[in-house]
């Protein structure tokens, strides 16, 4: 059987041998191009000395790239039991460096698994749960993030919402939350044909790093304010924030009540949340 530079069989052969037909319900769009998986792994920066969490390793293309790139410990959380024998072969090839957790990443406490060690998250996320996973990790403990960086593949539109700045169409609750907690950027786009099967839309690899100088703000209150403000994003703030004390609150902070949610900076949202 042919091998690749890491000494393991080509991914297409692995998938064929194990009969791993992609399942749409599990968001399975696999990457077989080793140059691309290596590029994603490299984008995450140095991996030695880190616990690297990978969500949805599937047939293991990115997992192999992370290990080849020198990750000291990869913890891979996979929901599909059909992938486990494939991942066991990779674990045997890199003794002591790959742990596979079978389960739902939405229910998995990565912070507990990191156990205080420096951690990075690198993943080609299942799109149906990608945004919720990101929100879970961002808000796990805003004062002490368990992650040093996150390098994540999303649908491009989700990536745009994460990095969005005030005034852009993509700016909303996700952009405020991510902007309050992290510095984020889109590293590069990935076309549909890079995946098997190809998704309908372009994807983007997004990188997030926690801000050292995050503005003081209470998470629950910030969520209340952004929920109210963006729930009616076309309305003026004096209207959308009415249930929270609207006009008086805005005037107290010197924010023009006729403005709309999408014009407010993260700092202004934090000020509103603190003033509630
Ligand atoms: N990392 C592989 C790659 O790049 O080729 C597969 C990526 S595929 C987009 C998403 C993977 O996430 C699939 O292997 C799927 O089974 C897994 N998955 C889907 N939902 C999951 C969940 N809730 N928890 C853990 N894994 C999940």
């Amino acid at each position: 059987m042919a091998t690749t530079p890491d000494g393991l069989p080509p991914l297409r052969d692995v998938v064929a041998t194990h009969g791993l037909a992609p399942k749409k319900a599990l968001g399975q769009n696999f990457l077989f191009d080793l140059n691309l998986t290596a590029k994603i792994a490299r984008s995450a920066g140095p991996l030695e000395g880190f616990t690297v969490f990978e969500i949805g390793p599937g047939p293991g293309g990115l997992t192999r790239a992370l290990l080849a790139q020198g990750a000291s410990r990869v913890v891979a959380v996979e929901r599909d039991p059909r992938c486990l024998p494939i991942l066991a072969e990779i674990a045997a090839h890199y003794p002591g460096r790959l742990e596979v957790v079978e389960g739902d990443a939405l229910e998995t406490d990565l912070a507990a698994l990191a156990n205080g060690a420096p951690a990075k998250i690198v993943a080609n996320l299942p799109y149906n749960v990608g945004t919720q996973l990101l929100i879970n990790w961002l808000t796990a403990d805003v004062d002490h993030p368990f992650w040093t960086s996150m390098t994540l593949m999303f649908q491009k539109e989700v990536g745009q919402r994460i990095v969005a700045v005030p005034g852009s169409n993509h700016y909303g609750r996700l952009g405020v939350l991510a902007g309050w907690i992290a510095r984020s950027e889109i590293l590069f786009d990935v076309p549909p044909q890079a995946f098997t099967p190809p998704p309908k839309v372009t994807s983007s690899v997004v990188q997030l790093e926690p801000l050292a100088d995050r503005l003081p703000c209470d998470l629950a209150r910030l969520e209340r304010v952004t929920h109210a403000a963006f729930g009616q994003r076309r309305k003026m703030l004096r209207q959308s924030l009415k249930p929270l004390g609207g006009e008086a609150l805005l005037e107290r902070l010197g924010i023009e009540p006729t403005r709309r949610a999408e014009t407010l900076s993260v700092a202004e949202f934090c000020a509103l949340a603190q003033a509630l």
Side-chain angles (χ1 to χ4, degrees), residues 55-70:
I55 304 310
L62 182 56
T63 322
R64 286 163 54 170
L66 293 166
L67 290 160
Q69 216 73 231

Side-chain angles (χ1 to χ4, degrees), residues 22 24 28-30 127 191-203:
K24 201 173 174 188
Q28 292 184 335
N29 301 99
F30 299 138
Y127 290 153
Q193 58 272 24
F195 300 83
T196 303
K200 287 201 173 66
V201 293
T202 297
S203 301

Side-chain angles (χ1 to χ4, degrees), residues 25-32 37 54-63 77-80 83 103-106 124-129 133 195:
L26 286 171
Q28 292 184 335
N29 301 99
F30 299 138
L31 295 173
F32 292 147
T37 51
E54 189 196 357
I55 304 310
L62 182 56
T63 322
V77 183
E78 176 55 63
R79 196 177 176 178
D80 185 349
C83 301
D104 184 345
L106 288 168
N124 171 18
L125 291 175
Y127 290 153
N128 43 353
V129 291
L133 287 170
F195 300 83

Side-chain angles (χ1 to χ4, degrees), residues 207-219:
Q207 192 149 58
L208 300 102
E209 288 170 6
L211 285 174
D213 51 354
R214 189 174 52 74
L215 290 167
C217 187
D218 176 75
L219 171 63

Side-chain angles (χ1 to χ4, degrees), residues 51 53 55 73 75 77 99 101 105 107-119 121 136-137 140-141 144-147:
T51 292
F53 290 108
I55 304 310
R73 175 189 181 218
V75 178
V77 183
E99 290 159 43
V101 177
E107 313 279 318
T108 307
D109 184 349
L110 297 191
L113 290 172
N115 198 19
I121 311 176
N136 290 359
W137 300 326
D141 180 351
H144 309 96
F146 69 92
W147 44 278

